[in-house]
Amino acid sequence: MVERNMRKEDLRIAAGLTTNMIANMGKGKNISMETLARICEALNCDILDVIELEQDEPKHD
């Protein structure tokens, strides 16, 4: 979004997202693949440009 000089509200409108979807993304909550696809379409980018995968820390028993 920064590279495109967009605010969260601009993305919300362009991708047809709800304010709750934007809030959940800001909190690091899960979002659907459909939502990711809409974001990519609005930003004209690949899915790997908008996600970051983090590995869970190993659990010690």
Side-chain angles (χ1 to χ4, degrees):
M1 290 180 1
V2 173
E3 293 172 4
R4 290 173 174 77
N5 202 24
M6 289 180 81
R7 300 172 303 146
K8 288 181 184 179
E9 182 67 6
D10 298 327
L11 176 62
R12 186 188 73 74
I13 293 168
L17 306 176
T18 65
T19 53
N20 284 341
M21 289 174 175
I22 296 291
N24 286 340
M25 288 187 306
K27 295 175 185 175
K29 293 188 177 181
N30 294 334
I31 59 173
S32 71
M33 289 298 293
E34 179 183 346
T35 300
L36 284 172
R38 289 162 69 179
I39 291 169
C40 290
E41 186 175 318
L43 296 176
N44 192 29
C45 67
D46 187 63
I47 196 166
L48 293 177
D49 295 327
V50 296
I51 65 169
E52 180 179 6
L53 299 177
E54 296 179 358
Q55 292 193 13
D56 293 334
E57 292 186 25
K59 294 181 181 178
H60 300 304
D61 293 327

